[in-house]
Amino acid sequence: PDAINERKKPVEPPKKPALAPFFLPSLDGVERTFVDPSDPAAAAASMPASSAELLASAAPAPAEAEEGDGPKAKRARARRMREQGLGAHSALCALLLAAEPHLSLGPGGGDGGAGEGAGSSEAAAAMSAVTDYLLTLGPSALDLEIRALGEDDSGRMLVLALALLVRQLQTRRDFELVQAILHVLLRLHGEALLTTPAAMPALRALREHQQVGWCELQEPIHSNLCLLAFMSNCAS
């Protein structure tokens, strides 16, 4: 018995397993491939390019790092960012700010007309950068990004988001995405938009383009519904 117990005795004491992350990062692709959190290169590869760039840009400068992380240093950095207009923006806010020169709706809320030649290609690239990022987000991440738009007390981000939706309706692209964002945006920030005078032209333009889009869809939808009802009655 002593020999058996000696043979069964563990070589080393059992170790506590490492805690798994709440959300397991994965790589893009058809097959689900999880990333090892302990591998920095793989974790960076699983991150969208815009998020990786934002994380890199959010790293403190050497001079700021030397200030330390005390309350006074944090307040000084926050004051400098406010003076420079560089708040702690989310990825969507950063993309909207980059596309701001191409989101002008003009004095009457319509097309600003700044879209010919090279400017048109630049505007299309700026719009595509925002929509491509939004299309990569899941429902919870998209909800979080839209909530972050209301952190700007001036309402600037909300106006830019409305201008983006108007532009997408003008180009007749990503209609389902526009409707999903509009639904969440009005539900979360409807009261803030009503108290923001700068948002009124964008809201009027959005209503106009929504009505135009619905008028184009209304007739074929009603025709299909009538045809479906007729065929159902014939079959019964």
Side-chain angles (χ1 to χ4, degrees), residues 46-186:
S46 65
M47 202 180 298
S50 56
S51 301
E53 293 173 0
L54 283 173
L55 289 175
S57 62
E64 295 181 357
E66 293 176 358
E67 295 178 358
D69 294 327
K72 292 184 178 179
K74 291 181 179 179
R75 285 196 295 269
R77 285 197 292 269
R79 185 173 63 252
R80 280 200 303 273
M81 286 193 297
R82 284 196 300 268
E83 292 173 354
Q84 299 172 4
L86 301 173
H89 297 305
S90 66
L92 177 58
C93 293
L95 290 171
L96 287 175
L97 288 174
E100 185 176 11
H102 309 290
L103 289 176
S104 174
L105 296 177
D111 195 344
E116 296 182 0
S120 177
S121 60
E122 293 178 1
M127 298 299 103
S128 297
V130 183
T131 54
D132 290 347
Y133 172 70
L134 291 173
L135 288 171
T136 63
L137 300 178
S140 58
L142 182 60
D143 182 86
L144 185 61
E145 288 282 8
I146 296 176
R147 288 179 184 274
L149 296 174
E151 295 179 356
D152 183 12
D153 296 335
S154 65
R156 179 184 178 189
M157 293 301 169
L158 294 175
V159 174
L160 289 178
L162 291 175
L164 173 70
L165 298 181
V166 172
R167 288 292 187 183
Q168 290 303 109
L169 290 175
Q170 288 175 343
T171 57
R172 306 173 186 273
R173 294 180 55 193
D174 302 314
F175 185 78
E176 294 84 359
L177 176 65
V178 170
Q179 300 307 312
I181 294 175
L182 181 60
H183 173 74
V184 181
L185 185 69
L186 294 179

Side-chain angles (χ1 to χ4, degrees), residues 218-229:
Q218 185 177 15
E219 183 176 355
I221 289 177
H222 286 176
S223 299
N224 290 333
L225 288 176
C226 292
L227 180 61
L228 181 60

Side-chain angles (χ1 to χ4, degrees), residues 23-37:
F23 293 106
L24 296 177
S26 59
L27 296 174
D28 294 334
V30 178
E31 297 182 358
R32 180 60 60 90
T33 304
F34 293 105
V35 179
D36 184 4

